[in-house]
Every structure is written in C-alpha cells, then in structure tokens.
Amino acid sequence: MNGFLKRRTLYTILPTPLPDDRASALNSFYFTDSPTQDQLAVMDACLHNLYDVPRAKQIFEQLRTTKSHEPLLESRIYNSFLEAYIHMAFVKEPEDRTLWVEDACHLYDLMEKGTDRVHPTASTYAIMLLAWRRFNPESDTPVHLSDLPNPTTLLSNLIERDISPTAVVADRVLASSEEASEIIKLLSKSAVDLNHPRILAELGQAEFLGSHVPDPLEGVPEVKPVLRLAKPWMKTGM
C-alpha cells in the first residue's frame, strides 16, 4: 500500500492549440470547435435513456458528412448508436423494429468495411450478437433481414480482428447472465462449425467461471432496521 501511495503521479500532456488559420487531425480531436461540441452534447443527451433517438441520429448523420474521418467520431459513438437502435427495436418502438434493426445492420456494415475509418470493437460484436438473439428468424420477435449477421459470421469477423470472445461475452451491453449464457452457446456452436477448438475451450472456461463465481453476500443476513417503540406522548404530539 505504501508503494502504491508513493507512486509517481501520471500526467496527460496536451499539445499546444494551433492558430485559427491552421488545422490538423490531432488538434481537431483535442480542441473541437464549439458548434461541434454542442452537437455532440445534444446527441448524447438524446441517446440517454432513448430520449430522442431520431434526433440523435439526424445529428450523427450530419457529423458523419461534415466531420467525416475525424477522430472525434470514434467506435464508442458508433457503438452507442448500435445499442440505441437495438433497444428502440426491442423496447421503445417494436412496431418499427424492422427499420431500427436495418439501421443497426447498415451501421455495423460501415464499421466492418471501414468506410468511415471506424472499426468494430468487442462491444460492437456483443451488440450485434444481442441483436441476433432477439431478432433472428426463430426468435419471439423475428426480423427477416438478409443482412442481419449471424453468430458464425460475427465470430469469424472478430477472430479475424484478433478480438477475444471472452471480452465480447463480458461486455456491459449484456445486462443479464441469461443473455450472456445464450450468446456463449451461440458462439460455441459457431466455433464448432468453424473448427476452432481453442475458441470453444475459451468460451467454455468463461461460462464455467461465470456460473461458479461465489456470491459475496451469500449467507449474510439481510439488514433489518432497528425500530424504537413510540411513547404515548409521541403519538399524541405532546
């Protein structure tokens, strides 16, 4: 602990801002102009709790046009929209689920092809696997789209990008252990189909560890508040 407390303080050294008549990708990343900052703030607010996803999408498309290939449009933002589209299709606007899933597939395809110089991450694949689980043709809420990537395609792509399947199934987008277990099963079947024993073993270990993690609160009694009996004069308000 003493060594930890005495460790050197880490600093982030930012580059000097460039004059107004000069520009660079690094300068634009660290010192975004005020109008763009405002657009990003409004976009994040609209995405929060799916408050106004259509408006966020409109701003996003404008930024993709005017700020194309700039570092501020990173994978995190693209993943936020993927997740919002899938939740809109499943929770908020199920009557338009086909349109929302189609938007998600289109955005994923852009990331996979690198059209905007933004590439998939572990979170990207977790979201698209969740989309398959919820909207595949045999699910309770099917969406019949030929471009909805199946688990085998997704597993093949993430292996090609050297992304660990464990990182995918541990992503925060999988909110319940049930969803994570189902996706592990989907990926395990795909690993067998693709003849990847190493991936199959990795997924099996992840499932074992996930199902055998001890509950730190197991055996701990629930906290019960201590109540004090009210005295007669307290009941009468005297």
Side-chain angles (χ1 to χ4, degrees), residues 103-169:
D103 285 341
C105 291
H106 174 67
L107 189 58
Y108 166 74
D109 189 56
L110 291 177
M111 297 177 73
E112 201 65 71
K113 292 178 179 177
T115 305
D116 295 346
R117 298 182 186 175
V118 177
H119 303 287
T121 63
S123 185
T124 308
Y125 292 110
I127 295 168
M128 296 311 296
L129 284 163
L130 184 62
W132 174 264
R133 179 182 180 272
R134 291 178 175 178
F135 306 116
N136 75 79
E138 297 180 359
S139 67
D140 295 333
T141 53
V143 172
H144 300 281
L145 289 174
S146 60
D147 54 352
L148 178 62
N150 59 46
T152 302
T153 299
L154 294 169
L155 179 61
S156 178
N157 290 342
L158 69 89
I159 290 174
E160 186 176 346
R161 294 186 181 277
D162 199 25
I163 295 176
S164 169
T166 304
V168 174
V169 298

Short mmCIF file of all heavy atoms in Angstrom, two decimals, residues 103-169:
data_model
loop_
_atom_site.label_atom_id
_atom_site.label_comp_id
_atom_site.label_asym_id
_atom_site.label_seq_id
_atom_site.Cartn_x
_atom_site.Cartn_y
_atom_site.Cartn_z
N ASP A 103 -31.27 -0.20 -39.63
CA ASP A 103 -30.31 0.87 -39.37
C ASP A 103 -29.07 0.34 -38.65
O ASP A 103 -27.94 0.74 -38.96
CB ASP A 103 -30.96 1.97 -38.52
CG ASP A 103 -31.91 2.85 -39.31
OD1 ASP A 103 -31.81 2.87 -40.56
OD2 ASP A 103 -32.77 3.50 -38.68
N ALA A 104 -29.29 -0.56 -37.69
CA ALA A 104 -28.17 -1.14 -36.96
C ALA A 104 -27.28 -1.97 -37.89
O ALA A 104 -26.04 -1.87 -37.83
CB ALA A 104 -28.68 -2.01 -35.81
N CYS A 105 -27.89 -2.75 -38.76
CA CYS A 105 -27.12 -3.58 -39.69
C CYS A 105 -26.30 -2.71 -40.66
O CYS A 105 -25.15 -3.03 -40.98
CB CYS A 105 -28.05 -4.50 -40.47
SG CYS A 105 -28.82 -5.80 -39.48
N HIS A 106 -26.91 -1.62 -41.11
CA HIS A 106 -26.21 -0.72 -42.03
C HIS A 106 -25.00 -0.08 -41.35
O HIS A 106 -23.91 -0.02 -41.93
CB HIS A 106 -27.17 0.36 -42.52
CG HIS A 106 -26.51 1.42 -43.36
ND1 HIS A 106 -25.99 1.14 -44.62
CD2 HIS A 106 -26.28 2.74 -43.13
CE1 HIS A 106 -25.46 2.24 -45.11
NE2 HIS A 106 -25.63 3.22 -44.24
N LEU A 107 -25.19 0.36 -40.11
CA LEU A 107 -24.09 0.99 -39.38
C LEU A 107 -22.99 -0.02 -39.08
O LEU A 107 -21.79 0.29 -39.20
CB LEU A 107 -24.61 1.61 -38.08
CG LEU A 107 -23.64 2.48 -37.29
CD1 LEU A 107 -23.13 3.63 -38.16
CD2 LEU A 107 -24.30 3.02 -36.03
N TYR A 108 -23.37 -1.23 -38.71
CA TYR A 108 -22.38 -2.28 -38.46
C TYR A 108 -21.59 -2.57 -39.73
O TYR A 108 -20.35 -2.75 -39.69
CB TYR A 108 -23.06 -3.55 -37.96
CG TYR A 108 -22.15 -4.76 -38.01
CD1 TYR A 108 -21.12 -4.91 -37.09
CD2 TYR A 108 -22.31 -5.73 -39.00
CE1 TYR A 108 -20.27 -6.01 -37.14
CE2 TYR A 108 -21.46 -6.83 -39.06
CZ TYR A 108 -20.45 -6.96 -38.14
OH TYR A 108 -19.60 -8.04 -38.20
N ASP A 109 -22.27 -2.61 -40.87
CA ASP A 109 -21.60 -2.88 -42.14
C ASP A 109 -20.58 -1.80 -42.46
O ASP A 109 -19.48 -2.08 -42.96
CB ASP A 109 -22.64 -2.98 -43.26
CG ASP A 109 -22.04 -3.48 -44.56
OD1 ASP A 109 -21.45 -4.58 -44.56
OD2 ASP A 109 -22.16 -2.77 -45.59
N LEU A 110 -20.91 -0.53 -42.16
CA LEU A 110 -19.96 0.57 -42.37
C LEU A 110 -18.71 0.37 -41.51
O LEU A 110 -17.59 0.62 -41.96
CB LEU A 110 -20.62 1.90 -42.03
CG LEU A 110 -21.74 2.40 -42.95
CD1 LEU A 110 -22.31 3.71 -42.42
CD2 LEU A 110 -21.22 2.60 -44.37
N MET A 111 -18.91 -0.08 -40.27
CA MET A 111 -17.78 -0.30 -39.38
C MET A 111 -16.93 -1.47 -39.86
O MET A 111 -15.70 -1.42 -39.84
CB MET A 111 -18.27 -0.55 -37.95
CG MET A 111 -19.02 0.62 -37.34
SD MET A 111 -19.66 0.25 -35.68
CE MET A 111 -18.14 0.26 -34.72
N GLU A 112 -17.58 -2.53 -40.29
CA GLU A 112 -16.86 -3.72 -40.74
C GLU A 112 -16.04 -3.43 -42.00
O GLU A 112 -14.91 -3.91 -42.15
CB GLU A 112 -17.85 -4.86 -41.00
CG GLU A 112 -17.24 -6.24 -40.97
CD GLU A 112 -16.71 -6.64 -39.61
OE1 GLU A 112 -17.50 -6.89 -38.69
OE2 GLU A 112 -15.47 -6.73 -39.48
N LYS A 113 -16.59 -2.62 -42.87
CA LYS A 113 -15.87 -2.28 -44.11
C LYS A 113 -14.87 -1.15 -43.91
O LYS A 113 -14.06 -0.89 -44.80
CB LYS A 113 -16.88 -1.88 -45.20
CG LYS A 113 -17.75 -3.04 -45.68
CD LYS A 113 -18.75 -2.57 -46.73
CE LYS A 113 -19.59 -3.74 -47.24
NZ LYS A 113 -20.62 -3.29 -48.21
N GLY A 114 -14.96 -0.44 -42.77
CA GLY A 114 -14.05 0.67 -42.52
C GLY A 114 -14.35 1.89 -43.37
O GLY A 114 -13.46 2.71 -43.62
N THR A 115 -15.60 2.03 -43.81
CA THR A 115 -15.97 3.13 -44.68
C THR A 115 -15.67 4.48 -44.05
O THR A 115 -15.18 5.40 -44.72
CB THR A 115 -17.47 3.06 -45.03
OG1 THR A 115 -17.76 1.77 -45.59
CG2 THR A 115 -17.86 4.14 -46.02
N ASP A 116 -15.96 4.61 -42.75
CA ASP A 116 -15.72 5.86 -42.03
C ASP A 116 -14.43 5.83 -41.22
O ASP A 116 -14.23 6.67 -40.32
CB ASP A 116 -16.90 6.16 -41.09
CG ASP A 116 -18.20 6.41 -41.84
OD1 ASP A 116 -18.14 6.63 -43.06
OD2 ASP A 116 -19.27 6.40 -41.20
N ARG A 117 -13.58 4.84 -41.50
CA ARG A 117 -12.34 4.64 -40.74
C ARG A 117 -12.62 4.38 -39.26
O ARG A 117 -11.82 4.73 -38.38
CB ARG A 117 -11.40 5.85 -40.90
CG ARG A 117 -10.95 6.09 -42.33
CD ARG A 117 -9.98 7.27 -42.41
NE ARG A 117 -9.68 7.58 -43.79
CZ ARG A 117 -8.93 8.63 -44.18
NH1 ARG A 117 -8.42 9.45 -43.27
NH2 ARG A 117 -8.69 8.86 -45.45
N VAL A 118 -13.75 3.79 -38.98
CA VAL A 118 -14.13 3.36 -37.64
C VAL A 118 -14.37 1.86 -37.69
O VAL A 118 -15.12 1.38 -38.56
CB VAL A 118 -15.40 4.08 -37.15
CG1 VAL A 118 -15.82 3.56 -35.78
CG2 VAL A 118 -15.17 5.59 -37.10
N HIS A 119 -13.73 1.12 -36.80
CA HIS A 119 -13.76 -0.33 -36.90
C HIS A 119 -14.43 -0.95 -35.66
O HIS A 119 -14.48 -0.34 -34.59
CB HIS A 119 -12.34 -0.86 -37.05
CG HIS A 119 -11.62 -0.30 -38.24
ND1 HIS A 119 -11.91 -0.66 -39.52
CD2 HIS A 119 -10.63 0.64 -38.31
CE1 HIS A 119 -11.13 0.00 -40.37
NE2 HIS A 119 -10.36 0.81 -39.66
N PRO A 120 -14.96 -2.16 -35.81
CA PRO A 120 -15.66 -2.82 -34.70
C PRO A 120 -14.75 -3.11 -33.51
O PRO A 120 -13.55 -3.33 -33.67
CB PRO A 120 -16.17 -4.13 -35.32
CG PRO A 120 -16.15 -3.90 -36.79
CD PRO A 120 -15.01 -2.96 -37.04
N THR A 121 -15.35 -3.11 -32.34
CA THR A 121 -14.68 -3.48 -31.10
C THR A 121 -15.42 -4.66 -30.49
O THR A 121 -16.42 -5.14 -31.05
CB THR A 121 -14.66 -2.30 -30.11
OG1 THR A 121 -16.02 -1.99 -29.76
CG2 THR A 121 -14.01 -1.07 -30.72
N ALA A 122 -14.97 -5.11 -29.34
CA ALA A 122 -15.67 -6.20 -28.65
C ALA A 122 -17.12 -5.82 -28.36
O ALA A 122 -18.03 -6.65 -28.49
CB ALA A 122 -14.94 -6.55 -27.35
N SER A 123 -17.34 -4.57 -28.00
CA SER A 123 -18.70 -4.10 -27.72
C SER A 123 -19.57 -4.15 -28.97
O SER A 123 -20.76 -4.48 -28.90
CB SER A 123 -18.65 -2.67 -27.16
OG SER A 123 -19.94 -2.24 -26.78
N THR A 124 -19.00 -3.85 -30.13
CA THR A 124 -19.75 -3.92 -31.39
C THR A 124 -20.30 -5.32 -31.60
O THR A 124 -21.48 -5.50 -31.92
CB THR A 124 -18.83 -3.55 -32.57
OG1 THR A 124 -18.19 -2.31 -32.32
CG2 THR A 124 -19.64 -3.46 -33.85
N TYR A 125 -19.45 -6.32 -31.42
CA TYR A 125 -19.87 -7.70 -31.65
C TYR A 125 -20.87 -8.16 -30.58
O TYR A 125 -21.78 -8.93 -30.88
CB TYR A 125 -18.66 -8.62 -31.71
CG TYR A 125 -17.81 -8.38 -32.93
CD1 TYR A 125 -16.55 -7.81 -32.83
CD2 TYR A 125 -18.30 -8.67 -34.20
CE1 TYR A 125 -15.78 -7.56 -33.95
CE2 TYR A 125 -17.53 -8.43 -35.34
CZ TYR A 125 -16.28 -7.88 -35.20
OH TYR A 125 -15.53 -7.62 -36.33
N ALA A 126 -20.71 -7.68 -29.35
CA ALA A 126 -21.68 -8.03 -28.30
C ALA A 126 -23.06 -7.49 -28.66
O ALA A 126 -24.08 -8.19 -28.49
CB ALA A 126 -21.21 -7.46 -26.96
N ILE A 127 -23.11 -6.27 -29.18
CA ILE A 127 -24.40 -5.67 -29.55
C ILE A 127 -25.04 -6.44 -30.70
O ILE A 127 -26.25 -6.72 -30.68
CB ILE A 127 -24.20 -4.19 -29.93
CG1 ILE A 127 -23.73 -3.39 -28.72
CG2 ILE A 127 -25.49 -3.59 -30.48
CD1 ILE A 127 -23.23 -2.00 -29.06
N MET A 128 -24.25 -6.79 -31.70
CA MET A 128 -24.81 -7.49 -32.87
C MET A 128 -25.21 -8.92 -32.52
O MET A 128 -26.17 -9.46 -33.10
CB MET A 128 -23.81 -7.46 -34.02
CG MET A 128 -23.51 -6.07 -34.55
SD MET A 128 -24.99 -5.08 -34.91
CE MET A 128 -25.75 -6.03 -36.24
N LEU A 129 -24.50 -9.55 -31.60
CA LEU A 129 -24.93 -10.88 -31.13
C LEU A 129 -26.24 -10.78 -30.36
O LEU A 129 -27.11 -11.65 -30.46
CB LEU A 129 -23.84 -11.51 -30.27
CG LEU A 129 -22.64 -12.06 -31.04
CD1 LEU A 129 -21.45 -12.28 -30.11
CD2 LEU A 129 -23.02 -13.37 -31.74
N LEU A 130 -26.37 -9.71 -29.58
CA LEU A 130 -27.63 -9.47 -28.88
C LEU A 130 -28.76 -9.24 -29.87
O LEU A 130 -29.89 -9.72 -29.66
CB LEU A 130 -27.47 -8.26 -27.96
CG LEU A 130 -28.65 -7.90 -27.06
CD1 LEU A 130 -28.96 -9.04 -26.09
CD2 LEU A 130 -28.36 -6.61 -26.29
N ALA A 131 -28.46 -8.52 -30.95
CA ALA A 131 -29.46 -8.30 -32.00
C ALA A 131 -29.90 -9.63 -32.61
O ALA A 131 -31.10 -9.86 -32.84
CB ALA A 131 -28.90 -7.38 -33.07
N TRP A 132 -28.95 -10.52 -32.88
CA TRP A 132 -29.30 -11.82 -33.45
C TRP A 132 -30.16 -12.63 -32.47
O TRP A 132 -31.14 -13.26 -32.87
CB TRP A 132 -28.05 -12.61 -33.82
CG TRP A 132 -28.36 -14.01 -34.28
CD1 TRP A 132 -28.33 -15.15 -33.54
CD2 TRP A 132 -28.79 -14.38 -35.60
NE1 TRP A 132 -28.71 -16.22 -34.30
CE2 TRP A 132 -29.00 -15.79 -35.57
CE3 TRP A 132 -29.01 -13.70 -36.78
CZ2 TRP A 132 -29.42 -16.50 -36.68
CZ3 TRP A 132 -29.43 -14.41 -37.90
CH2 TRP A 132 -29.63 -15.79 -37.85
N ARG A 133 -29.78 -12.60 -31.21
CA ARG A 133 -30.54 -13.35 -30.21
C ARG A 133 -31.98 -12.87 -30.14
O ARG A 133 -32.92 -13.66 -30.01
CB ARG A 133 -29.89 -13.25 -28.83
CG ARG A 133 -30.64 -13.99 -27.74
CD ARG A 133 -30.00 -13.82 -26.37
NE ARG A 133 -30.75 -14.54 -25.36
CZ ARG A 133 -31.77 -14.03 -24.69
NH1 ARG A 133 -32.17 -12.78 -24.94
NH2 ARG A 133 -32.41 -14.73 -23.77
N ARG A 134 -32.19 -11.57 -30.24
CA ARG A 134 -33.53 -11.01 -30.10
C ARG A 134 -34.36 -11.07 -31.38
O ARG A 134 -35.58 -11.18 -31.32
CB ARG A 134 -33.44 -9.56 -29.63
CG ARG A 134 -32.94 -9.41 -28.20
CD ARG A 134 -32.83 -7.94 -27.81
NE ARG A 134 -32.47 -7.78 -26.40
CZ ARG A 134 -32.28 -6.61 -25.81
NH1 ARG A 134 -32.41 -5.48 -26.50
NH2 ARG A 134 -31.94 -6.56 -24.53
N PHE A 135 -33.69 -10.99 -32.54
CA PHE A 135 -34.43 -10.79 -33.78
C PHE A 135 -34.17 -11.84 -34.85
O PHE A 135 -34.55 -11.64 -36.00
CB PHE A 135 -34.11 -9.40 -34.36
CG PHE A 135 -34.34 -8.28 -33.38
CD1 PHE A 135 -33.28 -7.49 -32.95
CD2 PHE A 135 -35.60 -8.01 -32.88
CE1 PHE A 135 -33.47 -6.46 -32.05
CE2 PHE A 135 -35.81 -6.98 -31.97
CZ PHE A 135 -34.74 -6.20 -31.55
N ASN A 136 -33.53 -12.95 -34.51
CA ASN A 136 -33.31 -13.98 -35.53
C ASN A 136 -34.64 -14.60 -35.93
O ASN A 136 -35.64 -14.49 -35.20
CB ASN A 136 -32.31 -15.04 -35.01
CG ASN A 136 -32.93 -15.97 -33.99
OD1 ASN A 136 -33.66 -16.91 -34.32
ND2 ASN A 136 -32.64 -15.71 -32.71
N PRO A 137 -34.72 -15.26 -37.10
CA PRO A 137 -35.99 -15.76 -37.61
C PRO A 137 -36.73 -16.72 -36.68
O PRO A 137 -37.95 -16.86 -36.79
CB PRO A 137 -35.58 -16.47 -38.91
CG PRO A 137 -34.33 -15.78 -39.33
CD PRO A 137 -33.62 -15.42 -38.06
N GLU A 138 -36.03 -17.36 -35.75
CA GLU A 138 -36.67 -18.31 -34.85
C GLU A 138 -36.95 -17.72 -33.47
O GLU A 138 -37.40 -18.42 -32.57
CB GLU A 138 -35.78 -19.55 -34.70
CG GLU A 138 -35.58 -20.30 -36.02
CD GLU A 138 -34.69 -21.52 -35.84
OE1 GLU A 138 -34.23 -21.76 -34.70
OE2 GLU A 138 -34.45 -22.23 -36.84
N SER A 139 -36.71 -16.43 -33.30
CA SER A 139 -36.95 -15.78 -32.01
C SER A 139 -38.42 -15.41 -31.86
O SER A 139 -39.22 -15.56 -32.79
CB SER A 139 -36.08 -14.52 -31.89
OG SER A 139 -36.51 -13.54 -32.81
N ASP A 140 -38.77 -14.91 -30.69
CA ASP A 140 -40.15 -14.48 -30.45
C ASP A 140 -40.47 -13.16 -31.15
O ASP A 140 -41.64 -12.82 -31.34
CB ASP A 140 -40.38 -14.30 -28.93
CG ASP A 140 -40.28 -15.62 -28.18
OD1 ASP A 140 -40.53 -16.67 -28.81
OD2 ASP A 140 -39.93 -15.60 -26.99
N THR A 141 -39.44 -12.41 -31.52
CA THR A 141 -39.63 -11.13 -32.22
C THR A 141 -38.77 -11.13 -33.48
O THR A 141 -37.78 -10.38 -33.56
CB THR A 141 -39.25 -9.94 -31.31
OG1 THR A 141 -37.93 -10.15 -30.80
CG2 THR A 141 -40.24 -9.82 -30.15
N PRO A 142 -39.11 -11.94 -34.46
CA PRO A 142 -38.22 -12.10 -35.63
C PRO A 142 -38.23 -10.87 -36.54
O PRO A 142 -39.22 -10.17 -36.68
CB PRO A 142 -38.83 -13.31 -36.35
CG PRO A 142 -40.28 -13.30 -35.96
CD PRO A 142 -40.31 -12.77 -34.55
N VAL A 143 -37.08 -10.62 -37.13
CA VAL A 143 -36.93 -9.60 -38.17
C VAL A 143 -36.26 -10.30 -39.35
O VAL A 143 -35.16 -10.83 -39.22
CB VAL A 143 -36.08 -8.41 -37.70
CG1 VAL A 143 -35.78 -7.48 -38.86
CG2 VAL A 143 -36.79 -7.66 -36.59
N HIS A 144 -36.93 -10.29 -40.48
CA HIS A 144 -36.43 -11.03 -41.64
C HIS A 144 -35.60 -10.10 -42.53
O HIS A 144 -36.12 -9.44 -43.43
CB HIS A 144 -37.59 -11.65 -42.40
CG HIS A 144 -38.40 -12.61 -41.59
ND1 HIS A 144 -37.99 -13.91 -41.33
CD2 HIS A 144 -39.58 -12.45 -40.93
CE1 HIS A 144 -38.89 -14.52 -40.57
NE2 HIS A 144 -39.86 -13.66 -40.32
N LEU A 145 -34.31 -10.04 -42.21
CA LEU A 145 -33.37 -9.23 -42.98
C LEU A 145 -32.19 -10.11 -43.39
O LEU A 145 -31.58 -10.77 -42.54
CB LEU A 145 -32.86 -8.04 -42.16
CG LEU A 145 -33.85 -6.91 -41.87
CD1 LEU A 145 -33.20 -5.89 -40.93
CD2 LEU A 145 -34.28 -6.22 -43.15
N SER A 146 -31.87 -10.08 -44.65
CA SER A 146 -30.77 -10.92 -45.12
C SER A 146 -29.42 -10.42 -44.65
O SER A 146 -28.46 -11.19 -44.58
CB SER A 146 -30.80 -10.97 -46.66
OG SER A 146 -30.67 -9.66 -47.20
N ASP A 147 -29.33 -9.13 -44.32
CA ASP A 147 -28.04 -8.58 -43.90
C ASP A 147 -27.85 -8.58 -42.38
O ASP A 147 -26.88 -7.99 -41.88
CB ASP A 147 -27.83 -7.17 -44.45
CG ASP A 147 -28.98 -6.22 -44.11
OD1 ASP A 147 -30.00 -6.71 -43.58
OD2 ASP A 147 -28.85 -5.02 -44.38
N LEU A 148 -28.76 -9.21 -41.64
CA LEU A 148 -28.55 -9.36 -40.19
C LEU A 148 -27.50 -10.44 -39.98
O LEU A 148 -27.75 -11.61 -40.25
CB LEU A 148 -29.86 -9.74 -39.49
CG LEU A 148 -29.78 -9.97 -37.98
CD1 LEU A 148 -29.35 -8.70 -37.26
CD2 LEU A 148 -31.14 -10.45 -37.43
N PRO A 149 -26.30 -10.08 -39.50
CA PRO A 149 -25.21 -11.07 -39.41
C PRO A 149 -25.50 -12.13 -38.36
O PRO A 149 -25.95 -11.83 -37.26
CB PRO A 149 -23.99 -10.22 -39.03
CG PRO A 149 -24.55 -9.00 -38.38
CD PRO A 149 -25.87 -8.75 -39.04
N ASN A 150 -25.24 -13.38 -38.73
CA ASN A 150 -25.47 -14.49 -37.80
C ASN A 150 -24.23 -14.71 -36.93
O ASN A 150 -23.16 -14.15 -37.19
CB ASN A 150 -25.85 -15.76 -38.56
CG ASN A 150 -24.77 -16.19 -39.55
OD1 ASN A 150 -23.58 -16.21 -39.22
ND2 ASN A 150 -25.16 -16.51 -40.77
N PRO A 151 -24.34 -15.52 -35.88
CA PRO A 151 -23.21 -15.72 -34.96
C PRO A 151 -21.95 -16.26 -35.63
O PRO A 151 -20.84 -15.89 -35.25
CB PRO A 151 -23.77 -16.72 -33.94
CG PRO A 151 -25.24 -16.47 -33.94
CD PRO A 151 -25.58 -16.14 -35.36
N THR A 152 -22.11 -17.11 -36.64
CA THR A 152 -20.93 -17.65 -37.32
C THR A 152 -20.16 -16.55 -38.04
O THR A 152 -18.93 -16.48 -37.97
CB THR A 152 -21.36 -18.74 -38.32
OG1 THR A 152 -22.05 -19.79 -37.62
CG2 THR A 152 -20.14 -19.35 -39.01
N THR A 153 -20.89 -15.68 -38.71
CA THR A 153 -20.25 -14.54 -39.40
C THR A 153 -19.57 -13.62 -38.39
O THR A 153 -18.44 -13.17 -38.59
CB THR A 153 -21.29 -13.76 -40.21
OG1 THR A 153 -21.86 -14.63 -41.19
CG2 THR A 153 -20.66 -12.57 -40.90
N LEU A 154 -20.26 -13.33 -37.30
CA LEU A 154 -19.71 -12.43 -36.29
C LEU A 154 -18.47 -13.03 -35.63
O LEU A 154 -17.48 -12.32 -35.41
CB LEU A 154 -20.78 -12.12 -35.23
CG LEU A 154 -21.98 -11.30 -35.74
CD1 LEU A 154 -23.09 -11.28 -34.69
CD2 LEU A 154 -21.54 -9.87 -36.07
N LEU A 155 -18.52 -14.32 -35.33
CA LEU A 155 -17.35 -14.97 -34.72
C LEU A 155 -16.17 -14.96 -35.67
O LEU A 155 -15.03 -14.68 -35.27
CB LEU A 155 -17.70 -16.40 -34.31
CG LEU A 155 -16.56 -17.20 -33.67
CD1 LEU A 155 -16.08 -16.54 -32.39
CD2 LEU A 155 -17.00 -18.64 -33.40
N SER A 156 -16.43 -15.25 -36.93
CA SER A 156 -15.36 -15.25 -37.93
C SER A 156 -14.72 -13.87 -38.04
O SER A 156 -13.49 -13.74 -38.10
CB SER A 156 -15.92 -15.69 -39.29
OG SER A 156 -14.93 -15.66 -40.28
N ASN A 157 -15.55 -12.82 -38.01
CA ASN A 157 -15.03 -11.46 -38.13
C ASN A 157 -14.22 -11.04 -36.91
O ASN A 157 -13.17 -10.40 -37.04
CB ASN A 157 -16.18 -10.48 -38.35
CG ASN A 157 -16.82 -10.63 -39.72
OD1 ASN A 157 -16.23 -11.21 -40.63
ND2 ASN A 157 -18.03 -10.11 -39.87
N LEU A 158 -14.70 -11.39 -35.72
CA LEU A 158 -13.97 -10.96 -34.51
C LEU A 158 -12.66 -11.73 -34.36
O LEU A 158 -11.67 -11.20 -33.84
CB LEU A 158 -14.85 -11.06 -33.27
CG LEU A 158 -15.28 -12.41 -32.70
CD1 LEU A 158 -14.27 -12.93 -31.70
CD2 LEU A 158 -16.64 -12.28 -32.01
N ILE A 159 -12.64 -12.98 -34.81
CA ILE A 159 -11.38 -13.74 -34.78
C ILE A 159 -10.38 -13.10 -35.74
O ILE A 159 -9.19 -12.96 -35.43
CB ILE A 159 -11.64 -15.21 -35.17
CG1 ILE A 159 -12.42 -15.92 -34.06
CG2 ILE A 159 -10.32 -15.94 -35.42
CD1 ILE A 159 -12.83 -17.33 -34.41
N GLU A 160 -10.87 -12.68 -36.90
CA GLU A 160 -10.00 -12.04 -37.89
C GLU A 160 -9.41 -10.74 -37.35
O GLU A 160 -8.29 -10.37 -37.69
CB GLU A 160 -10.80 -11.77 -39.17
CG GLU A 160 -9.97 -11.24 -40.31
CD GLU A 160 -10.77 -11.07 -41.58
OE1 GLU A 160 -11.90 -11.62 -41.65
OE2 GLU A 160 -10.28 -10.39 -42.50
N ARG A 161 -10.16 -10.07 -36.48
CA ARG A 161 -9.67 -8.81 -35.89
C ARG A 161 -8.93 -9.05 -34.58
O ARG A 161 -8.58 -8.10 -33.88
CB ARG A 161 -10.85 -7.86 -35.66
CG ARG A 161 -11.50 -7.39 -36.93
CD ARG A 161 -12.56 -6.34 -36.67
NE ARG A 161 -13.19 -5.92 -37.92
CZ ARG A 161 -12.69 -5.02 -38.75
NH1 ARG A 161 -11.55 -4.42 -38.44
NH2 ARG A 161 -13.30 -4.70 -39.87
N ASP A 162 -8.72 -10.32 -34.23
CA ASP A 162 -7.97 -10.69 -33.03
C ASP A 162 -8.63 -10.13 -31.76
O ASP A 162 -7.95 -9.64 -30.86
CB ASP A 162 -6.52 -10.19 -33.13
CG ASP A 162 -5.59 -10.92 -32.16
OD1 ASP A 162 -5.92 -12.07 -31.78
OD2 ASP A 162 -4.56 -10.34 -31.77
N ILE A 163 -9.95 -10.22 -31.72
CA ILE A 163 -10.72 -9.80 -30.56
C ILE A 163 -11.12 -11.04 -29.77
O ILE A 163 -11.62 -12.02 -30.34
CB ILE A 163 -11.97 -9.00 -30.96
CG1 ILE A 163 -11.57 -7.69 -31.63
CG2 ILE A 163 -12.88 -8.73 -29.76
CD1 ILE A 163 -12.72 -6.87 -32.16
N SER A 164 -10.90 -11.03 -28.48
CA SER A 164 -11.18 -12.20 -27.65
C SER A 164 -12.69 -12.39 -27.48
O SER A 164 -13.40 -11.44 -27.12
CB SER A 164 -10.53 -12.03 -26.28
OG SER A 164 -10.99 -13.03 -25.38
N PRO A 165 -13.20 -13.59 -27.70
CA PRO A 165 -14.62 -13.86 -27.45
C PRO A 165 -15.00 -13.63 -25.99
O PRO A 165 -16.13 -13.25 -25.70
CB PRO A 165 -14.78 -15.34 -27.83
CG PRO A 165 -13.65 -15.63 -28.74
CD PRO A 165 -12.52 -14.77 -28.29
N THR A 166 -14.05 -13.84 -25.08
CA THR A 166 -14.32 -13.59 -23.66
C THR A 166 -14.63 -12.12 -23.42
O THR A 166 -15.53 -11.79 -22.63
CB THR A 166 -13.12 -14.01 -22.81
OG1 THR A 166 -12.82 -15.39 -23.06
CG2 THR A 166 -13.42 -13.84 -21.33
N ALA A 167 -13.91 -11.23 -24.10
CA ALA A 167 -14.18 -9.80 -23.97
C ALA A 167 -15.57 -9.46 -24.51
O ALA A 167 -16.24 -8.56 -23.99
CB ALA A 167 -13.12 -9.00 -24.71
N VAL A 168 -16.00 -10.19 -25.51
CA VAL A 168 -17.33 -9.94 -26.10
C VAL A 168 -18.43 -10.34 -25.12
O VAL A 168 -19.35 -9.57 -24.84
CB VAL A 168 -17.49 -10.70 -27.43
CG1 VAL A 168 -18.90 -10.57 -27.96
CG2 VAL A 168 -16.49 -10.18 -28.46
N VAL A 169 -18.35 -11.56 -24.57
CA VAL A 169 -19.42 -12.05 -23.69
C VAL A 169 -19.39 -11.37 -22.32
O VAL A 169 -20.36 -11.45 -21.57
CB VAL A 169 -19.35 -13.58 -23.53
CG1 VAL A 169 -19.53 -14.27 -24.86
CG2 VAL A 169 -18.03 -14.01 -22.88
#
